[in-house]
Amino acid sequence: MPGTPPPTPRRRRAEPINKHVAKNGTVTYRFQVDIGIKPDGNRNRQQSTYRTLAEARREYRRITTEVARGTFAALTELTVNDACDQWLADRRRIRRNSLERCRQELKPVRRRLGGKKLAQLTKKDGDELVQWMLTEGRRSPRQSRPDSMASQVAALIALHPEGISTAELTAQFGRKVHHSLAGLVQAGRVSRPRRAVYVLTPPPNTAVAGVKPVTVRSTLSTFSMMVQSYVDQGVLPRNVIALVDRPVDVLTDTDDDETNAKSWTMSEVGAFRAAIAGERLAACWLMSCYGMRRSEVLGARWRRLDATAVRVRRGRVPIGRETEENLPKSRRSRRDLPPPPDLEAALRALKTRQKAECLARGVPWSEDRLIAVHEDGSPVRPEWYSAEFQRIRARAGLRRIPLKGLRNTSVSLMLASGIPVHIVAAWHGHDPAMSLSIYSHAHPHELQAAGAALFGPEGTRRARQIGKL
C-alpha cells in the first residue's frame, strides 16, 4: 500500500559464541549447545572452547546441524588410560609384537596423563609430556609416586640418618613393609649397614635421567594415532597431539664416534667370522652375517633346510617376557636362500652336534626341532642372542654395532660388490628401495674412492698422496 514502510529484512540470529581473555592474554572462544536430554530429564549442555572465532563458528554450525539431524556424537568421557585400553583392544589387524610395541610406547603417556579426560587434552599437555620424557623419562615410576608404599617408607627412613630398625618400620606400616624394603634395596635407594637397620642411600650423580628424542618421537606418533582414531569417530573435535613439535636429535662433536657405527667393513666382518669359528652356534651367527633377521634365524627349523635352500617361513619374536613364533613380516620375507658352502658346512656340523646332545640326554631327534637351541634343547631367546653377539664382538675387539648391523653390513657389501639391487633386496626379503635408503652404508674407503674417481687419474694420484700423509 502507498505510504507503508518496506518490511525490515530478517537478520540471522547471532551465534552464542563468547570471547574469553585469560590473565596471560590468551584469547579463546566458547559456546554451549544443547545436545540432548540427560537420564534425569535435565538438558545436556556441552561447552566447547576454540582458539579462533572462525573455528568456533564452524564447529558450532556443525554441532547444531548434527544435533538437528540426530547424528551428533557427544565428546567422549573416557580418560586417557581407558582410551588407550580401548584403542589397543580394537587393533586386531596388526601383529602381536607390533601391538606390544604400541603398548610399550604408550606407557609414558599413561604414566603422565592416564587420569586426565581425553576430551580435555591440550597441546600444552603434549608439550609437557615431551619435556618430562626428555628430562625425567628414565626415572622409576615408583620414585615419582609420593603416595606409594615405597616412597612413604623411603621418606621415613630419610628422617633417620643414623638408621631406623625393621621393628620401627613394621610398627609404622605393618608387615607389608618387608616387600617395599626389598624393592628399595634392589633399586639402590636404601642400604642396610647392619642387621635389621636401614639408611637412605644418597642418589647417584647421574646427569641424564631422560630418554632419547627418538624414543619421544615414537611415543608421540603412537599417541597421535590413538587420539586421531577418536577424532575419526567424531567423539573428539581435533587431534591436539598432532600439533606438538617432535624433538630432534642433538648434534654434538662426538657424532663421528665409533659408537654410531651401523655396519662393518669386509675386514671387520671377516674378523667376526673368524671369532665365531669355535662357537657352538657358529651356523646361526653365519646366517646373521648373511643378512637374515634375528627372528628368522631363531625361527628356522631343520625340516625347512636342505642342501638346496634355507627356507624362511617363520620368525620368533619377543612379546614382553614371552616369545612367539609367527609368519614373516611380509610376502617378500618369505624366500628360499641357497646356502653358501661355509654356511652349509656349519649347519651340517651343528646338526650332528645337536643329535649327539639329544642322544646323551635320551631325547628322540625331531626334524621339526629349532636350529637355534641351547645344549639342553631350550630355544634361544632373542634377548640372549643379541647380548651374546655383543659378548663375542667385544672379545674380538671389534667396533660396537647392533645385531641388526650384520644385516646392514650384508646389504652394503653386496651392493659394493656390484650385485644388482633387486637381487640384494630379494636375498634379504625387502623392497629394493629399502636396500638403498635404510640398510646400505658408505664406508670411508668407499667415499675416498668415489672422490678420487671424480676427476680421473689426477684425482686418484692426489687421493693416494693424501693417504700417505
Side-chain angles (χ1 to χ4, degrees):
M1 295 179 62
T4 302
T8 303
R10 297 181 60 184
R11 295 183 179 181
R12 183 171 182 173
R13 181 181 176 184
E15 295 168 331
I17 300 175
N18 300 318
K19 181 179 179 181
H20 175 77
V21 181
K23 292 183 178 179
N24 61 359
T26 303
V27 177
T28 55
Y29 297 87
R30 300 175 179 175
F31 61 81
Q32 285 187 332
V33 179
D34 289 338
I35 59 174
I37 302 298
K38 294 181 180 180
D40 58 3
N42 294 324
R43 292 187 302 169
N44 187 4
R45 295 178 62 81
Q46 174 178 295
Q47 177 174 297
S48 302
T49 304
Y50 298 92
R51 293 177 299 171
T52 65
L53 179 60
E55 186 179 9
R57 284 175 173 170
R58 182 173 62 251
E59 288 301 309
Y60 174 80
R61 294 167 186 173
R62 180 188 66 83
I63 293 174
T64 53
T65 301
E66 291 180 357
V67 169
R69 292 175 179 172
T71 60
F72 175 74
L75 293 179
T76 179
E77 294 293 324
L78 292 174
T79 63
V80 173
N81 261 335
D82 295 336
C84 289
D85 287 337
Q86 182 173 316
W87 181 71
L88 290 170
D90 292 342
R91 302 208 72 195
R92 293 180 289 273
R93 297 181 60 183
I94 65 173
R95 296 158 65 95
R96 216 185 133 195
N97 58 323
S98 299
L99 183 64
E100 180 64 23
R101 185 179 67 250
C102 292
R103 183 175 286 109
Q104 295 297 325
E105 290 170 346
L106 286 174
K107 276 188 175 182
V109 175
R110 305 180 77 157
R111 180 176 161 191
R112 184 74 178 177
L113 302 170
K116 191 179 184 70
K117 291 288 186 67
L118 187 65
Q120 296 175 355
L121 281 179
T122 63
K123 180 179 178 294
K124 183 179 178 181
D125 293 325
D127 292 330
E128 291 177 350
L129 172 67
V130 171
Q131 184 62 26
W132 173 76
M133 289 185 67
L134 291 174
T135 56
E136 303 182 44
R138 288 187 181 274
R139 296 187 185 277
S140 168
R142 295 182 179 180
Q143 294 182 11
S144 62
R145 288 174 48 200
D147 58 334
S148 66
M149 171 73 81
S151 295
Q152 294 177 35
V153 172
L156 180 58
I157 295 176
L159 299 177
H160 300 79
E162 72 286 353
I164 183 172
S165 67
T166 306
E168 294 175 278
L169 291 170
T170 304
Q172 179 70 24
F173 298 102
R175 297 192 60 84
K176 292 183 179 180
V177 75
H178 296 287
H179 180 75
S180 297
L181 285 172
L184 290 170
V185 171
Q186 185 177 7
R189 297 174 62 188
V190 166
S191 61
R192 190 171 62 180
R194 55 188 182 275
R195 184 182 178 88
V197 174
Y198 293 89
V199 296
L200 197 66
T201 303
N205 186 18
T206 55
V208 179
V211 298
K212 292 183 178 180
V214 64
T215 304
V216 180
R217 292 196 295 269
S218 298
T219 292
L220 286 178
S221 296
T222 304
F223 190 18
S224 182
M225 288 170 56
M226 187 271 290
V227 175
Q228 184 62 42
S229 70
Y230 288 94
V231 174
D232 295 340
Q233 296 173 46
V235 295
L236 283 181
R238 61 196 178 280
N239 184 357
V240 296
I241 303 303
L243 306 175
V244 178
D245 289 339
R246 272 54 175 167
V248 298
D249 297 319
V250 179
L251 297 178
T252 64
D253 293 337
T254 59
D255 280 340
D256 57 348
D257 196 0
E258 291 184 355
T259 56
N260 294 319
K262 296 182 180 179
S263 63
W264 280 336
T265 62
M266 179 66 80
S267 60
E268 288 174 316
V269 75
F272 179 77
R273 284 160 57 90
I276 62 174
E279 296 289 330
R280 177 178 173 275
L281 296 177
C284 296
W285 299 120
L286 276 179
M287 286 193 285
S288 294
C289 288
Y290 278 109
M292 292 180 63
R293 299 179 178 93
R294 180 182 69 176
S295 60
E296 296 169 347
V297 174
L298 301 185
R301 294 182 181 272
W302 290 112
R303 64 182 174 85
R304 300 193 186 99
L305 169 68
D306 56 34
T308 62
V310 176
R311 294 177 174 81
V312 180
R313 297 293 184 272
R314 290 289 188 276
R316 290 181 62 243
V317 294
I319 308 292
R321 297 184 178 181
E322 303 175 359
T323 303
E324 182 182 73
E325 182 174 339
N326 49 33
L327 295 173
K329 292 180 65 175
S330 63
R331 289 184 178 274
R332 294 178 186 269
S333 300
R334 181 186 174 98
R335 61 201 190 279
D336 296 342
L337 303 178
D342 59 339
L343 178 57
E344 183 181 356
L347 286 168
R348 192 183 308 112
L350 178 59
K351 188 174 186 178
T352 301
R353 181 167 184 169
Q354 289 188 4
K355 285 183 176 180
E357 292 169 352
C358 287
L359 182 62
R361 298 197 318 271
V363 177
W365 174 259
S366 172
E367 288 292 324
D368 195 44
R369 178 190 178 96
L370 290 170
I371 295 177
V373 295
H374 294 289
E375 294 183 8
D376 60 358
S378 60
V380 169
R381 283 193 56 83
E383 300 87 347
W384 181 92
Y385 192 71
S386 296
E388 183 67 10
F389 165 72
Q390 296 298 341
R391 288 189 284 266
I392 297 174
R393 175 206 58 79
R395 289 197 298 266
L398 295 169
R399 288 186 302 162
R400 182 180 181 87
I401 62 171
L403 175 62
K404 65 180 180 181
L406 289 179
R407 181 172 169 85
N408 298 348
T409 300
S410 174
V411 173
S412 299
L413 294 180
M414 281 191 177
L415 291 174
S417 300
I419 301 175
V421 64
H422 69 282
I423 297 178
V424 176
W427 176 275
H428 293 90
H430 56 231
D431 187 87
M434 295 280 287
S435 297
L436 296 174
S437 63
I438 295 179
Y439 288 106
S440 61
H441 297 95
H443 293 284
H445 69 277
E446 295 172 328
L447 297 176
Q448 182 182 14
L454 179 59
F455 298 110
E458 181 180 354
T460 303
R461 285 196 301 270
R462 289 183 178 177
R464 290 175 180 172
Q465 292 174 359
I466 293 174
K468 293 179 180 179
L469 296 179

PDB file of all heavy atoms in Angstrom, residues 88 94-107 318-321:
ATOM      1  N   LEU A  88      43.877 -50.128  21.994  1.00  0.00           N
ATOM      2  CA  LEU A  88      44.731 -51.312  21.844  1.00  0.00           C
ATOM      3  C   LEU A  88      43.883 -52.567  21.632  1.00  0.00           C
ATOM      4  O   LEU A  88      44.253 -53.433  20.841  1.00  0.00           O
ATOM      5  CB  LEU A  88      45.616 -51.461  23.075  1.00  0.00           C
ATOM      6  CG  LEU A  88      46.720 -50.414  23.252  1.00  0.00           C
ATOM      7  CD1 LEU A  88      47.353 -50.528  24.631  1.00  0.00           C
ATOM      8  CD2 LEU A  88      47.781 -50.553  22.168  1.00  0.00           C
ATOM      9  N   ILE A  94      46.900 -55.877  13.390  1.00  0.00           N
ATOM     10  CA  ILE A  94      48.354 -55.792  13.465  1.00  0.00           C
ATOM     11  C   ILE A  94      48.894 -57.009  14.198  1.00  0.00           C
ATOM     12  O   ILE A  94      48.185 -57.684  14.950  1.00  0.00           O
ATOM     13  CB  ILE A  94      48.808 -54.499  14.162  1.00  0.00           C
ATOM     14  CG1 ILE A  94      48.379 -54.485  15.634  1.00  0.00           C
ATOM     15  CG2 ILE A  94      48.274 -53.281  13.433  1.00  0.00           C
ATOM     16  CD1 ILE A  94      48.954 -53.310  16.404  1.00  0.00           C
ATOM     17  N   ARG A  95      50.162 -57.270  13.971  1.00  0.00           N
ATOM     18  CA  ARG A  95      50.812 -58.423  14.604  1.00  0.00           C
ATOM     19  C   ARG A  95      50.957 -58.197  16.100  1.00  0.00           C
ATOM     20  O   ARG A  95      50.964 -57.066  16.586  1.00  0.00           O
ATOM     21  CB  ARG A  95      52.180 -58.648  13.968  1.00  0.00           C
ATOM     22  CG  ARG A  95      52.101 -59.023  12.506  1.00  0.00           C
ATOM     23  CD  ARG A  95      53.399 -58.719  11.803  1.00  0.00           C
ATOM     24  NE  ARG A  95      54.492 -59.519  12.292  1.00  0.00           N
ATOM     25  CZ  ARG A  95      54.901 -60.664  11.737  1.00  0.00           C
ATOM     26  NH1 ARG A  95      54.290 -61.123  10.663  1.00  0.00           N
ATOM     27  NH2 ARG A  95      55.910 -61.344  12.231  1.00  0.00           N
ATOM     28  N   ARG A  96      51.099 -59.313  16.810  1.00  0.00           N
ATOM     29  CA  ARG A  96      51.135 -59.216  18.266  1.00  0.00           C
ATOM     30  C   ARG A  96      52.356 -58.450  18.763  1.00  0.00           C
ATOM     31  O   ARG A  96      52.276 -57.705  19.742  1.00  0.00           O
ATOM     32  CB  ARG A  96      51.167 -60.630  18.854  1.00  0.00           C
ATOM     33  CG  ARG A  96      50.376 -60.747  20.146  1.00  0.00           C
ATOM     34  CD  ARG A  96      50.520 -62.097  20.760  1.00  0.00           C
ATOM     35  NE  ARG A  96      50.798 -62.015  22.186  1.00  0.00           N
ATOM     36  CZ  ARG A  96      51.235 -63.006  22.915  1.00  0.00           C
ATOM     37  NH1 ARG A  96      51.501 -64.164  22.343  1.00  0.00           N
ATOM     38  NH2 ARG A  96      51.443 -62.865  24.190  1.00  0.00           N
ATOM     39  N   ASN A  97      53.490 -58.625  18.092  1.00  0.00           N
ATOM     40  CA  ASN A  97      54.674 -57.892  18.533  1.00  0.00           C
ATOM     41  C   ASN A  97      54.533 -56.395  18.245  1.00  0.00           C
ATOM     42  O   ASN A  97      55.026 -55.561  19.004  1.00  0.00           O
ATOM     43  CB  ASN A  97      55.923 -58.453  17.864  1.00  0.00           C
ATOM     44  CG  ASN A  97      55.853 -58.397  16.352  1.00  0.00           C
ATOM     45  OD1 ASN A  97      54.797 -58.595  15.763  1.00  0.00           O
ATOM     46  ND2 ASN A  97      56.974 -58.132  15.714  1.00  0.00           N
ATOM     47  N   SER A  98      53.837 -56.029  17.158  1.00  0.00           N
ATOM     48  CA  SER A  98      53.567 -54.613  16.890  1.00  0.00           C
ATOM     49  C   SER A  98      52.615 -54.031  17.928  1.00  0.00           C
ATOM     50  O   SER A  98      52.764 -52.880  18.356  1.00  0.00           O
ATOM     51  CB  SER A  98      52.971 -54.437  15.487  1.00  0.00           C
ATOM     52  OG  SER A  98      53.857 -54.897  14.495  1.00  0.00           O
ATOM     53  N   LEU A  99      51.637 -54.834  18.339  1.00  0.00           N
ATOM     54  CA  LEU A  99      50.716 -54.380  19.382  1.00  0.00           C
ATOM     55  C   LEU A  99      51.455 -54.170  20.695  1.00  0.00           C
ATOM     56  O   LEU A  99      51.203 -53.201  21.414  1.00  0.00           O
ATOM     57  CB  LEU A  99      49.592 -55.409  19.563  1.00  0.00           C
ATOM     58  CG  LEU A  99      48.497 -55.052  20.560  1.00  0.00           C
ATOM     59  CD1 LEU A  99      47.733 -53.824  20.081  1.00  0.00           C
ATOM     60  CD2 LEU A  99      47.538 -56.219  20.754  1.00  0.00           C
ATOM     61  N   GLU A 100      52.389 -55.065  21.004  1.00  0.00           N
ATOM     62  CA  GLU A 100      53.174 -54.922  22.231  1.00  0.00           C
ATOM     63  C   GLU A 100      54.046 -53.670  22.165  1.00  0.00           C
ATOM     64  O   GLU A 100      54.228 -52.975  23.169  1.00  0.00           O
ATOM     65  CB  GLU A 100      54.039 -56.160  22.440  1.00  0.00           C
ATOM     66  CG  GLU A 100      54.907 -56.130  23.690  1.00  0.00           C
ATOM     67  CD  GLU A 100      54.095 -56.090  24.973  1.00  0.00           C
ATOM     68  OE1 GLU A 100      52.920 -56.517  24.952  1.00  0.00           O
ATOM     69  OE2 GLU A 100      54.641 -55.625  25.997  1.00  0.00           O
ATOM     70  N   ARG A 101      54.579 -53.372  20.978  1.00  0.00           N
ATOM     71  CA  ARG A 101      55.387 -52.156  20.834  1.00  0.00           C
ATOM     72  C   ARG A 101      54.528 -50.910  21.080  1.00  0.00           C
ATOM     73  O   ARG A 101      54.967 -49.975  21.760  1.00  0.00           O
ATOM     74  CB  ARG A 101      56.013 -52.097  19.451  1.00  0.00           C
ATOM     75  CG  ARG A 101      56.961 -50.917  19.273  1.00  0.00           C
ATOM     76  CD  ARG A 101      57.592 -50.865  17.911  1.00  0.00           C
ATOM     77  NE  ARG A 101      56.611 -50.599  16.876  1.00  0.00           N
ATOM     78  CZ  ARG A 101      56.201 -51.475  15.969  1.00  0.00           C
ATOM     79  NH1 ARG A 101      56.705 -52.703  15.974  1.00  0.00           N
ATOM     80  NH2 ARG A 101      55.301 -51.164  15.059  1.00  0.00           N
ATOM     81  N   CYS A 102      53.297 -50.902  20.546  1.00  0.00           N
ATOM     82  CA  CYS A 102      52.394 -49.776  20.812  1.00  0.00           C
ATOM     83  C   CYS A 102      52.095 -49.655  22.301  1.00  0.00           C
ATOM     84  O   CYS A 102      52.043 -48.538  22.844  1.00  0.00           O
ATOM     85  CB  CYS A 102      51.092 -49.955  20.032  1.00  0.00           C
ATOM     86  SG  CYS A 102      51.249 -49.810  18.241  1.00  0.00           S
ATOM     87  N   ARG A 103      51.904 -50.780  22.958  1.00  0.00           N
ATOM     88  CA  ARG A 103      51.616 -50.757  24.401  1.00  0.00           C
ATOM     89  C   ARG A 103      52.800 -50.170  25.175  1.00  0.00           C
ATOM     90  O   ARG A 103      52.610 -49.371  26.111  1.00  0.00           O
ATOM     91  CB  ARG A 103      51.293 -52.169  24.876  1.00  0.00           C
ATOM     92  CG  ARG A 103      50.897 -52.249  26.343  1.00  0.00           C
ATOM     93  CD  ARG A 103      50.465 -53.637  26.729  1.00  0.00           C
ATOM     94  NE  ARG A 103      49.141 -53.948  26.188  1.00  0.00           N
ATOM     95  CZ  ARG A 103      48.919 -54.811  25.205  1.00  0.00           C
ATOM     96  NH1 ARG A 103      49.932 -55.454  24.645  1.00  0.00           N
ATOM     97  NH2 ARG A 103      47.692 -55.047  24.773  1.00  0.00           N
ATOM     98  N   GLN A 104      54.017 -50.541  24.790  1.00  0.00           N
ATOM     99  CA  GLN A 104      55.192 -50.007  25.470  1.00  0.00           C
ATOM    100  C   GLN A 104      55.363 -48.515  25.206  1.00  0.00           C
ATOM    101  O   GLN A 104      55.743 -47.751  26.101  1.00  0.00           O
ATOM    102  CB  GLN A 104      56.441 -50.769  25.012  1.00  0.00           C
ATOM    103  CG  GLN A 104      56.474 -52.238  25.409  1.00  0.00           C
ATOM    104  CD  GLN A 104      56.500 -52.432  26.915  1.00  0.00           C
ATOM    105  OE1 GLN A 104      57.098 -51.658  27.649  1.00  0.00           O
ATOM    106  NE2 GLN A 104      55.848 -53.486  27.384  1.00  0.00           N
ATOM    107  N   GLU A 105      55.085 -48.092  23.976  1.00  0.00           N
ATOM    108  CA  GLU A 105      55.260 -46.684  23.630  1.00  0.00           C
ATOM    109  C   GLU A 105      54.235 -45.789  24.316  1.00  0.00           C
ATOM    110  O   GLU A 105      54.477 -44.593  24.501  1.00  0.00           O
ATOM    111  CB  GLU A 105      55.180 -46.508  22.118  1.00  0.00           C
ATOM    112  CG  GLU A 105      56.389 -47.091  21.389  1.00  0.00           C
ATOM    113  CD  GLU A 105      56.217 -47.135  19.882  1.00  0.00           C
ATOM    114  OE1 GLU A 105      55.084 -46.966  19.411  1.00  0.00           O
ATOM    115  OE2 GLU A 105      57.219 -47.351  19.185  1.00  0.00           O
ATOM    116  N   LEU A 106      53.095 -46.357  24.705  1.00  0.00           N
ATOM    117  CA  LEU A 106      52.071 -45.570  25.401  1.00  0.00           C
ATOM    118  C   LEU A 106      52.272 -45.533  26.914  1.00  0.00           C
ATOM    119  O   LEU A 106      51.539 -44.812  27.605  1.00  0.00           O
ATOM    120  CB  LEU A 106      50.682 -46.125  25.085  1.00  0.00           C
ATOM    121  CG  LEU A 106      50.135 -45.837  23.687  1.00  0.00           C
ATOM    122  CD1 LEU A 106      48.825 -46.571  23.472  1.00  0.00           C
ATOM    123  CD2 LEU A 106      49.957 -44.342  23.458  1.00  0.00           C
ATOM    124  N   LYS A 107      53.233 -46.283  27.431  1.00  0.00           N
ATOM    125  CA  LYS A 107      53.434 -46.308  28.880  1.00  0.00           C
ATOM    126  C   LYS A 107      53.751 -44.928  29.456  1.00  0.00           C
ATOM    127  O   LYS A 107      53.176 -44.540  30.481  1.00  0.00           O
ATOM    128  CB  LYS A 107      54.537 -47.302  29.231  1.00  0.00           C
ATOM    129  CG  LYS A 107      54.047 -48.740  29.340  1.00  0.00           C
ATOM    130  CD  LYS A 107      55.131 -49.650  29.876  1.00  0.00           C
ATOM    131  CE  LYS A 107      54.594 -51.065  30.104  1.00  0.00           C
ATOM    132  NZ  LYS A 107      55.630 -51.964  30.667  1.00  0.00           N
ATOM    133  N   PRO A 318      60.138 -61.513  20.370  1.00  0.00           N
ATOM    134  CA  PRO A 318      59.795 -61.358  21.787  1.00  0.00           C
ATOM    135  C   PRO A 318      58.487 -60.594  21.961  1.00  0.00           C
ATOM    136  O   PRO A 318      58.257 -59.577  21.302  1.00  0.00           O
ATOM    137  CB  PRO A 318      60.983 -60.569  22.349  1.00  0.00           C
ATOM    138  CG  PRO A 318      61.502 -59.790  21.183  1.00  0.00           C
ATOM    139  CD  PRO A 318      61.245 -60.638  19.969  1.00  0.00           C
ATOM    140  N   ILE A 319      57.635 -61.089  22.840  1.00  0.00           N
ATOM    141  CA  ILE A 319      56.391 -60.413  23.209  1.00  0.00           C
ATOM    142  C   ILE A 319      56.421 -60.266  24.724  1.00  0.00           C
ATOM    143  O   ILE A 319      56.005 -61.145  25.469  1.00  0.00           O
ATOM    144  CB  ILE A 319      55.143 -61.210  22.785  1.00  0.00           C
ATOM    145  CG1 ILE A 319      55.212 -61.586  21.318  1.00  0.00           C
ATOM    146  CG2 ILE A 319      53.886 -60.406  23.100  1.00  0.00           C
ATOM    147  CD1 ILE A 319      55.100 -60.431  20.362  1.00  0.00           C
ATOM    148  N   GLY A 320      56.951 -59.131  25.206  1.00  0.00           N
ATOM    149  CA  GLY A 320      57.127 -58.982  26.643  1.00  0.00           C
ATOM    150  C   GLY A 320      58.142 -59.999  27.140  1.00  0.00           C
ATOM    151  O   GLY A 320      59.268 -60.075  26.652  1.00  0.00           O
ATOM    152  N   ARG A 321      57.738 -60.824  28.096  1.00  0.00           N
ATOM    153  CA  ARG A 321      58.616 -61.869  28.620  1.00  0.00           C
ATOM    154  C   ARG A 321      58.449 -63.189  27.871  1.00  0.00           C
ATOM    155  O   ARG A 321      59.118 -64.165  28.187  1.00  0.00           O
ATOM    156  CB  ARG A 321      58.341 -62.089  30.107  1.00  0.00           C
ATOM    157  CG  ARG A 321      58.642 -60.860  30.966  1.00  0.00           C
ATOM    158  CD  ARG A 321      58.445 -61.163  32.434  1.00  0.00           C
ATOM    159  NE  ARG A 321      58.771 -60.006  33.267  1.00  0.00           N
ATOM    160  CZ  ARG A 321      58.701 -60.003  34.592  1.00  0.00           C
ATOM    161  NH1 ARG A 321      58.304 -61.099  35.245  1.00  0.00           N
ATOM    162  NH2 ARG A 321      59.020 -58.916  35.272  1.00  0.00           N
TER     163      ARG A 321
END
